[in-house]
Amino acid sequence: MMEFYRDTWAEIDLDAIKWNVEKTIEELDPSVALFAVVKANAYGHGDVQVARSALQAGAKGLAVAFLDEALKLRASGIDAPILVLGASRPEDAHLAAEHRISVTVHDEDWLSKVYLKKGLLLNIHIKCDTGMGRIGLKTKEELRHVAGQIDQSDSFVFEGIFTHFATADEPETNYVEKQLEHFQHLVNSLSVKPPFVHCSNSAATLRFKGAGCNTVRLGISMYGLTPSTDIAPLLPFQLKPAFSLKSKLVHVKKLKPGEKVSYGATYEASEYEWIGTLPIGYADGWIRKLEGQDVLIDGRRMPIVGRICMDQCMVRLPKEYKTGTLATLIGRQGNEEITMEEIAEKRETINYEIPCVITSRVPRVYI
Ligand code: PLP
């Protein structure tokens, strides 16, 4: 286990990740392959550890956003198929080929800029833009052109075709249906279909069982988080969150009425108050907007008071606690729980963003 010398850490429950993957696979037709999306350091959970757990649980491959992330996984000894979902530079394609990393072709000109040494093979997935408006080919003509380029080269292997839904996490399904129809139209226009055809993120995997494709790309729900609160009741099983954030009181003191806390001296004790200091701050991703947010100590909710500093923040305690007492900022303590969604709401964002922005200064501990 990694050594660290501070009293704040994130605990990652790899069994929860395995369980979420296994339960998802049970929901799918046995012919459907699951790719685990481990981009952005596995949504802040730790890419290598999550990748290994997902593969043990039955994932057939991994997906990342950038070539750098794929190379890191390869360097760690992971041998499974890896797909780079985002745009790679054509001049870096040889690196992908050398490391058996599959790349995404997202525009018509990309392949014409690729030069590979004889004997190197580049695995290619074609990305179709069916309504996300991000990257990808839009028409049958573009698709035919790229498929033809692949066909005419000894260096290119047509491994997959995919698209990405913009609204699979919303109760209304019209837009998803439109995108799917467009995707099917594009796929059906190919004379030869590649082995991997995929369109589903977590929401579409769990709600539409992969939407008739033979591969799915599972991200957020592998981490035990619902793609959106709106569709939580529509999911086939209760996910198990894998990420919790913990700290310990490093300093406890009693303030007199009128004494102040933190920068700006904006918080003032109205009576004799116990204040505890936690060694976590905005440089850990625990941003100033979280002032007022509760943390769990002794199984109870207690608020952060005063401005959050770069490395520390202060909590109002109902009584004296010893330094070293555990504080849970995300996760469960006793009967109380602070969910990723609660933090997301406070920060006016989505649950996806929260573990991603807990910075690398917070050690990840695997349980
Ligand atoms: N596929 C692509 C192309 C993505 O960009 C993402 C994540 O943003 C995913 C799959 C995984 O989505 P989710 O985390 O909603 O399962």
Side-chain angles (χ1 to χ4, degrees):
M1 208 227 283
M2 169 193 166
E3 283 193 74
F4 59 93
Y5 307 98
R6 63 177 299 198
D7 281 334
T8 295
W9 68 100
E11 251 169 47
I12 314 296
D13 182 349
L14 294 175
D15 285 339
I17 287 175
K18 285 187 202 158
W19 191 89
N20 294 322
V21 171
E22 282 165 2
K23 284 292 281 182
T24 305
I25 290 173
E26 278 173 28
E27 289 292 321
L28 297 169
D29 187 275
S31 63
V32 175
L34 184 148
F35 272 52
V37 181
V38 294
K39 61 188 173 131
N41 195 28
Y43 297 30
H45 292 62
D47 50 6
V48 174
Q49 294 83 352
V50 170
R52 289 193 196 286
S53 299
L55 291 167
Q56 278 168 20
K60 291 285 182 282
L62 305 167
V64 292
F66 303 119
L67 182 57
D68 311 65
E69 296 176 317
L71 290 168
K72 181 181 170 217
L73 292 171
R74 276 283 179 268
S76 77
I78 289 177
D79 204 38
I82 305 176
L83 166 62
V84 177
L85 297 164
S88 302
R89 300 179 194 138
E91 60 268 34
D92 297 332
H94 68 99
L95 274 174
E98 281 158 22
H99 293 276
R100 291 174 298 104
I101 291 164
S102 308
V103 294
T104 289
V105 172
H106 59 91
D107 76 34
E108 256 194 304
D109 301 330
W110 198 86
L111 279 176
S112 58
K113 298 180 200 146
V114 170
Y115 297 97
L116 293 174
K117 272 201 233 139
K118 219 174 153 41
L120 273 184
L121 288 179
L122 183 65
N123 289 326
I124 290 160
H125 289 233
I126 298 181
K127 176 73 182 278
C128 302
D129 178 8
T130 58
M132 179 71 187
R134 198 163 60 176
I135 55 170
L137 309 179
K138 292 170 91 96
T139 65
K140 274 198 301 194
E141 292 65 38
E142 288 171 321
L143 181 57
R144 203 172 303 137
H145 175 73
V146 173
Q149 283 179 311
I150 298 174
D151 194 38
Q152 279 154 29
S153 164
D154 292 337
S155 310
F156 302 149
V157 180
F158 192 11
E159 192 182 54
I161 182 161
F162 72 109
T163 194
H164 189 56
F165 292 130
T167 62
D169 59 349
E170 293 176 13
E172 170 62 57
T173 56
N174 277 349
Y175 198 75
V176 173
E177 282 157 27
K178 263 201 198 135
Q179 280 197 261
L180 186 57
E181 203 178 300
H182 188 181
F183 184 54
Q184 281 161 348
H185 169 73
L186 291 173
V187 174
N188 289 338
S189 75
L190 290 168
S191 49
V192 181
K193 305 210 184 359
F196 297 103
V197 179
H198 45 117
C199 60
S200 291
N201 53 5
S202 294
T205 300
L206 293 172
R207 290 175 77 191
F208 315 126
K209 304 205 182 293
C213 294
N214 67 14
T215 306
V216 297
R217 307 184 301 271
L218 195 76
I220 196 76
S221 64
M222 170 171 62
Y223 305 102
L225 302 173
T226 31
S228 74
T229 41
D230 286 347
I231 61 151
L234 305 177
L235 301 184
F237 59 91
Q238 179 98 42
L239 296 159
K240 287 192 183 172
F243 188 104
S244 45
L245 182 61
K246 306 207 166 161
S247 189
K248 285 181 180 173
L249 292 173
V250 290
H251 186 94
V252 176
K253 64 188 163 296
K254 194 178 200 177
L255 293 192
K256 294 192 194 111
E259 285 188 312
K260 317 268 194 191
V261 174
S262 196
Y263 289 116
T266 54
Y267 181 80
E268 183 179 310
S270 53
E271 52 191 335
Y272 281 97
E273 286 180 19
W274 286 101
I275 298 289
T277 301
L278 296 174
I280 181 169
Y282 61 76
D284 300 302
W286 206 249
I287 58 169
R288 284 164 52 119
K289 195 159 189 179
L290 291 168
E291 181 176 339
Q293 170 61 38
D294 288 338
V295 307
L296 302 179
I297 293 173
D298 196 19
R300 297 161 69 179
R301 287 178 169 264
M302 305 178 191
I304 294 172
V305 295
R307 290 190 189 150
I308 293 177
C309 310
M310 189 184 287
D311 322 295
Q312 303 173 76
C313 62
M314 277 60 82
V315 178
R316 189 176 64 225
L317 311 171
K319 59 177 188 164
E320 183 177 14
Y321 282 100
K322 286 199 170 65
T323 58
T325 300
L326 181 70
T328 300
L329 293 95
I330 299 172
R332 187 173 273 287
Q333 235 192 51
N335 294 326
E336 279 286 357
E337 185 177 10
I338 294 175
T339 62
M340 207 65 90
E341 289 71 29
E342 178 177 338
I343 303 301
E345 201 181 326
K346 177 90 183 166
R347 289 190 49 171
E348 295 178 77
T349 182
I350 52 172
N351 54 5
Y352 288 67
E353 197 177 316
I354 305 303
C356 288
V357 300
I358 300 297
T359 64
S360 60
R361 196 170 73 159
V362 176
R364 269 61 171 174
V365 173
Y366 295 91
I367 58 166

